[in-house]
Amino acid sequence: MAVFSRQRLQHEMSNLIERSRDRQLRLAVTGLSRSGKTAFLSSLINQLRHAGVEARLDLLPAAREGRLLGARRVNQPDLEVPRFPYDQALKALGNTPPRWPSPTKGISELRLSLRFRPRRSTMLKAPTSTLTLDLIDYPGEWLLDLPLLQHDYDSWCRAQAAHRGEHREAFMAPFQDAVARLDPAAEACEDALAEIAERYAMGLKQAREAGFSNLQPGRFLLPGELAGAPVLQFFPLNLSKAEQQSCRQLPDTSVYATLAARFEHYRKQVVTPFYRDHFQRFDRQIVLVDLLGALNAGPERFEDLSAALAQLMQSFNYGKRHLLNRLFDSRIDRLAVAATKADHVTPDQHERLVRLLETLLAEPLKDLRYTNVPVKAFSLAAIRATDVREVHDAQGPSLALSGHSLGGKACLFFPGDVPTSLPDADFWAHQGFNFASFRPRPMTSTALDHIRMDSALDWLLGDKLQ
Amino acid sequence: MTDHRPRPGRHFTDQAATEDSQAPRLRPGRRFDPSLEQTPVDHSQWDPDQESLLEASGGAAADAGPGAARRPRHGLFAAVGGAILLGTLELLTALGNAWTSADLLGLAWGGLGLVILLIATRTLISEVARARRLDRHDRLREALARLPTATADDITESTRALARHLSLDQDAPDWQALRDALEPHHDGQETRDLLEHHLMVPRDRAAIRLISRMSSETAVMVAVSPLTLVDMALVAWRHLVMVNRITRLYGLELSRLGRIKLWRQILHDMAFAGAAEMATDTGIELLSLDLTGRLSARASQGLASGLLAARLGLRAQALCRPLPFTDATRPRLGDLRRKLWQRLRRLDDTA
């Protein structure tokens, strides 16, 4: 008969309990293009890898109390999702001169296994616990497709016609020319459609380059693995309601029917699977916003960013009657919104940055509060590129940032105040904003320097490290 | 007769409001010559010995909140000072007379009187100085309680004042750890968390250890002591010592007057705030009934006085801690009670 010592038995028990407990977390990071997703994830992985040694995570209680022992990369479970290019990102940062990591194009994933000592080790708890953390990075543009789920092709065309500003229209001119010459009733020609779709995608891309954000469909901007596939070769037609009615009778090979079929396919086979396979499995979510870039770009782009974010936040606003909740069962139980690149302004402006973010997201935040989704706003810099200095000149002491511009020139300046709400037209005409970009600091062997990553981490996973 | 007719509407020229709409001007960016004189904004440069505004008498925080500003008793000081001065003069003239008339006894009495007056003056001065420390402690507590909404300058000021209050010097390990952790971008709440962790938690731990030890010793002492009257005196003495040690742990050196003030506050809190707390700390009655049932009469007497000591200690700790407790960090009587009970059970079993 096997003799179990009491200790051994206790060990077995605690293992069993650990396994049966919820020790897994899927943390999703999103944001529109150039909001700093890659930098955020690289820094997050870097901080956790160095946790317990030299990473400064003082606002994360588990790290501050020395209970966080470290993290290790382990193999991810979803084999068909690309791995997050952490090593490439670090290599870019470690270059001389250092570069920002190149942006990721689609969804990617990385799994970390965190070791920590629980706050109170009782009889039934093991001395150390493990938290499996899945980090998922996906483009925020994909979330802008959520409204497509409510549309059919006709209503989508009408909706697209409705929100066209004069600036955006300019980018769409080549596409509009081509589409005006297209007869919806004609036999569909694969190449012609591809060409017009290309113009449409070009228009969207140019609009994005110019700083617009609220652009649909999202996969036209970041096609991921779908580049060149016919499912991305559709576009809205300018038809009146009556014309649309008559077009419904057209045969399946007509232009109208082809486009409508592709739209339907996109909706069913591209948008829905993302929500079904990925979105619905996220536990925590952080949305990154580049406010400074939007302020630089001017009022029209800023309004557009606001609209895009409102659209994007819809995905998290899953009240009982919400579309998403009827289709899938979402389970995100904590949400963070963060204004990135906080190191590009002086520390006294951080609070104003958060207030501007809250003003910008006032409506979605109200809805989220109503549906009782805990959400918190942060200002952070995933990888800090500047130092704060106090400069004394004729006008007295003043805070200033010191760093290197993207071109490599050493600079020292005060970037200006961040507004707490959107200034009026007069201000834009006279002053405007000009927040400069910095290049990352040379890498050292220690953890990356950051601003408030630790408090974001505390909000996103602190409760699992108790 | 008062007029009850509805008042008509009135127009005001809103000078302040129109000025205000232009007020929130956003400062534009400015470029500086990188060769300009510049100092890094870095907390590691902080020197805890530097006097902070909070400590300077009549500092900015003096007129802060209700109850903060206690009007100094100028009249009382003038009366006592005048009495001492006049007494000295009187004694000096008397001494002079005694000298000329060679009255040795009178000379001795005069000398004794002068020595007594000297001692009285010294005591008075040190009392006044220490009384100001208590005021400073109150001001510091208020400043630290306001931390979550404080501006950057206030944060720096309060942090320095706290370090000085705890008499930390440049090389103290907890001060160094705190400086490493603090960053210029930390806001008030974040700074508060860090102060709490680096400066308060080690002292809290020591205080709890002290309270736990002292209260269980008191309990045992009462349980085994044969004479009730001696018990009472001893217990009172031990309580005094415990509270003094706790105050010193949190950097508060009290004058006699200050001690009386503190005791009054502790007892007041125990009678009112403490009662409410006990009612919410559910299960205490139930538990203690159960416990006393299982302990001998003497041991349960010991338990009662030990519990009193623990309550007293916790109260004193809450009052002396420069950073007020939050609900999450407040130590509970329950933890101490369990230890007390275990100790007494052991005693009972061996007896």
Side-chain angles (χ1 to χ4, degrees):
Chain A
M1 207 177 101
V3 181
F4 278 107
S5 72
R6 197 180 151 201
Q7 233 171 5
R8 170 91 186 275
L9 202 66
Q10 202 175 315
H11 188 75
E12 292 292 318
M13 271 292 279
S14 67
N15 262 352
L16 196 73
I17 288 167
E18 277 303 302
R19 251 179 284 146
S20 62
R21 282 161 65 119
D22 170 33
R23 287 288 182 201
Q24 250 200 39
L25 199 67
R26 288 177 75 81
L27 167 62
V29 179
T30 196
L32 300 168
S33 295
R34 275 173 296 181
S35 55
K37 294 186 292 292
T38 312
F40 179 86
L41 259 183
S42 309
S43 169
L44 195 148
I45 298 165
N46 186 272
Q47 304 301 338
L48 290 177
R49 288 280 291 142
H50 286 85
V53 195
E54 70 279 84
R56 292 243 61 118
L57 297 170
D58 294 287
L59 299 179
L60 176 65
R64 183 169 66 201
E65 289 156 15
R67 295 188 289 111
L68 189 56
L69 301 174
R72 215 167 54 187
R73 275 190 281 175
V74 289
N75 289 332
Q76 65 195 54
D78 304 318
L79 298 178
E80 69 276 24
V81 178
R83 194 184 166 112
F84 178 78
Y86 174 63
D87 296 310
Q88 284 95 306
L90 275 205
K91 205 183 271 172
L93 289 169
N95 252 356
T96 35
R99 281 184 295 113
W100 290 106
S102 49
T104 46
K105 295 274 185 257
I107 190 163
S108 58
E109 192 178 311
L110 195 129
R111 174 172 271 200
L112 283 178
S113 154
L114 296 185
R115 260 294 169 79
F116 65 98
R117 275 197 294 268
R119 180 161 277 164
R120 263 169 211 221
S121 63
T122 52
M123 284 274 281
L124 290 178
K125 266 192 195 169
T128 61
S129 300
T130 313
L131 173 70
T132 308
L133 181 67
D134 285 316
L135 300 164
I136 301 113
D137 160 45
Y138 66 95
E141 277 79 2
W142 292 6
L143 293 182
L144 297 181
D145 281 347
L146 176 72
L148 291 188
L149 294 177
Q150 293 165 306
H151 283 297
D152 61 4
Y153 182 63
D154 292 340
S155 62
W156 181 62
C157 291
R158 286 198 297 272
Q160 286 305 98
H163 61 75
R164 266 187 209 142
E166 142 189 19
H167 251 110
R168 276 174 67 165
E169 196 64 353
F171 297 113
M172 286 298 175
F175 159 73
Q176 294 294 0
D177 284 349
V179 98
R181 278 183 268 118
L182 190 71
D183 175 16
E187 187 87 0
C189 165
E190 212 36 65
D191 291 341
L193 288 188
E195 204 259 312
I196 300 175
E198 183 56 31
R199 287 184 184 205
Y200 184 60
M202 269 316 286
L204 290 178
K205 276 180 190 150
Q206 281 168 359
R208 196 194 58 190
E209 288 300 314
F212 287 98
S213 323
N214 192 11
L215 304 163
Q216 279 174 3
R219 298 289 172 127
F220 279 52
L221 296 164
L222 289 166
E225 70 286 359
L226 292 174
V231 63
L232 295 191
Q233 289 166 358
F234 66 92
F235 43 83
L237 289 171
N238 292 327
L239 298 174
S240 69
K241 230 173 176 170
E243 282 172 313
Q244 283 177 344
Q245 279 294 346
S246 61
C247 279
R248 296 233 174 99
Q249 270 75 47
L250 289 172
D252 286 351
T253 51
S254 69
V255 165
Y256 173 84
T258 312
L259 292 177
R262 283 177 183 177
F263 174 80
E264 206 54 33
H265 187 84
Y266 180 83
R267 212 169 70 88
K268 289 227 171 76
Q269 304 300 326
V270 179
V271 182
T272 314
F274 168 69
Y275 278 97
R276 190 188 55 217
D277 298 342
H278 298 294
F279 191 83
Q280 114 166 273
R281 292 162 61 211
F282 299 156
D283 300 307
R284 304 279 156 95
Q285 169 79 54
I286 181 165
V287 180
L288 305 175
V289 185
D290 177 16
L291 283 178
L292 301 177
L295 282 175
N296 277 345
E300 192 181 340
R301 320 289 203 276
F302 198 87
E303 296 288 356
D304 189 68
L305 173 73
S306 164
L309 286 175
Q311 196 78 265
L312 188 151
M313 299 292 275
Q314 283 275 316
S315 294
F316 307 113
N317 176 15
Y318 34 82
K320 279 268 177 289
R321 307 290 303 281
H322 191 262
L323 173 75
L324 257 185
N325 221 8
R326 275 179 280 148
L327 295 178
F328 324 102
D329 182 23
S330 190
R331 64 174 195 202
I332 293 177
D333 59 351
R334 238 178 223 202
L335 184 64
V337 286
T340 52
K341 306 183 187 172
D343 58 336
H344 287 42
V345 291
T346 46
D348 54 330
Q349 303 294 319
H350 289 177
E351 196 203 331
R352 298 171 72 95
L353 205 57
V354 173
R355 266 160 65 194
L356 178 64
L357 184 67
E358 281 171 344
T359 322
L360 187 72
L361 295 176
E363 285 305 314
L365 286 182
K366 265 179 223 152
D367 291 339
L368 286 170
R369 185 176 297 271
Y370 182 74
T371 48
N372 201 15
V373 179
V375 53
K376 198 167 171 187
F378 294 92
S379 63
L380 55 85
I383 301 172
R384 202 162 145 189
T386 62
D387 279 321
V388 190
R389 297 287 164 86
E390 198 176 49
V391 178
H392 304 272
D393 67 351
Q395 293 181 37
S398 158
L399 284 182
L401 297 177
S402 135
H404 286 86
S405 67
L406 288 177
K409 204 168 142 279
C411 44
L412 176 74
F413 63 88
F414 171 68
D417 276 334
V418 176
T420 50
S421 60
L422 208 55
D424 51 12
D426 192 46
F427 176 83
W428 292 98
H430 286 104
Q431 189 170 329
F433 297 98
N434 185 21
F435 296 104
S437 298
F438 289 92
R439 141 188 127 176
R441 287 196 288 207
M443 269 257 288
T444 52
S445 57
T446 56
L448 292 168
D449 223 359
H450 64 90
I451 291 179
R452 236 167 259 128
M453 280 294 282
D454 40 3
S455 83
L457 273 175
D458 181 32
W459 172 249
L460 290 170
L461 43 102
D463 60 329
K464 295 282 178 188
L465 298 177
Q466 292 299 315
Chain B
M1 278 287 285
T2 48
D3 194 359
H4 285 298
R5 277 177 304 179
R7 287 175 301 165
R10 280 166 69 196
H11 285 279
F12 297 99
T13 48
D14 201 349
Q15 192 83 34
T18 46
E19 269 172 19
D20 206 42
S21 67
Q22 290 164 354
R25 286 289 278 272
L26 294 171
R27 287 173 294 166
R30 279 174 68 202
R31 284 194 178 272
F32 300 102
D33 184 3
S35 62
L36 216 58
E37 184 198 344
Q38 46 178 291
T39 45
V41 179
D42 191 359
H43 295 311
S44 56
Q45 305 296 316
W46 282 3
D47 181 6
D49 297 335
Q50 198 177 332
E51 174 121 353
S52 86
L53 285 178
L54 275 175
E55 297 167 288
S57 55
D63 52 355
R70 257 180 241 101
R71 200 157 285 286
R73 290 168 193 157
H74 288 304
L76 186 67
F77 284 127
V80 176
I84 289 177
L85 192 71
L86 284 177
T88 318
L89 285 176
E90 176 76 39
L91 277 173
L92 281 176
T93 47
L95 266 179
N97 288 341
W99 182 257
T100 47
S101 58
D103 177 5
L104 281 183
L105 198 61
L107 213 61
W109 273 116
L112 188 67
L114 266 183
V115 169
I116 288 174
L117 268 182
L118 207 71
I119 292 171
T121 322
R122 252 188 53 194
T123 318
L124 192 73
I125 289 171
S126 76
E127 281 290 300
V128 170
R130 281 166 165 187
R132 279 168 66 177
R133 288 191 78 139
L134 190 63
D135 282 351
R136 201 179 76 193
H137 172 254
D138 286 351
R139 279 208 300 277
L140 179 65
R141 261 175 83 97
E142 272 176 26
L144 289 172
R146 280 197 309 267
L147 254 189
T149 53
T151 62
D153 287 343
D154 289 346
I155 292 170
T156 317
E157 217 49 75
S158 315
T159 310
R160 270 209 209 118
L162 178 60
R164 248 176 88 81
H165 181 79
L166 297 175
S167 338
L168 294 174
D169 62 20
Q170 195 82 292
D171 304 326
D174 36 3
W175 173 246
Q176 278 185 344
L178 175 73
R179 277 190 326 194
D180 287 345
L182 277 176
E183 293 272 357
H185 60 258
H186 284 154
D187 66 21
Q189 185 58 48
E190 290 161 350
T191 311
R192 189 190 192 287
D193 289 350
L194 292 177
L195 287 178
E196 174 118 25
H197 177 259
H198 287 289
L199 299 186
M200 288 294 115
V201 165
R203 283 166 184 78
D204 289 348
R205 216 173 285 143
I208 288 296
R209 232 179 2 240
L210 177 76
I211 295 171
S212 170
R213 205 193 66 215
M214 292 288 272
S215 62
S216 58
E217 279 172 8
T218 305
V220 171
M221 207 174 73
V222 172
V224 298
S225 162
L227 283 170
T228 327
L229 205 67
V230 179
D231 287 357
M232 281 168 64
L234 284 180
V235 166
W237 187 31
R238 290 182 63 88
H239 286 175
L240 276 172
V241 171
M242 180 175 70
V243 170
N244 283 352
R245 283 195 194 161
I246 291 171
T247 53
R248 237 175 296 140
L249 207 57
Y250 285 104
L252 195 65
E253 201 147 323
L254 286 178
S255 60
R256 285 167 192 79
L257 260 177
R259 242 170 251 157
I260 292 170
K261 246 186 217 167
L262 181 74
W263 271 98
R264 213 168 58 192
Q265 218 170 344
I266 292 174
L267 293 176
H268 179 273
D269 275 12
M270 279 178 67
F272 298 97
E277 207 169 77
M278 268 180 59
T280 53
D281 194 3
T282 43
I284 179 165
E285 270 80 22
L286 276 176
L287 245 171
S288 44
L289 274 180
D290 184 33
L291 296 185
T292 43
R294 284 200 265 159
L295 291 171
S296 67
R298 290 215 71 91
S300 41
Q301 239 176 44
L303 182 72
S305 48
L307 273 178
L308 180 71
R311 278 176 65 200
L312 200 76
L314 289 184
R315 268 295 133 201
Q317 187 195 9
L319 279 174
C320 296
R321 197 177 191 257
L323 209 60
F325 277 122
T326 59
D327 278 340
T329 52
R330 191 185 304 281
R332 311 250 164 244
L333 190 57
D335 305 336
L336 291 172
R337 196 177 52 223
R338 210 164 305 124
K339 269 182 208 153
L340 260 178
W341 182 60
Q342 279 162 4
R343 181 113 191 219
L344 284 171
R345 272 301 293 265
R346 266 208 303 277
L347 191 79
D348 237 16
D349 289 348
T350 50

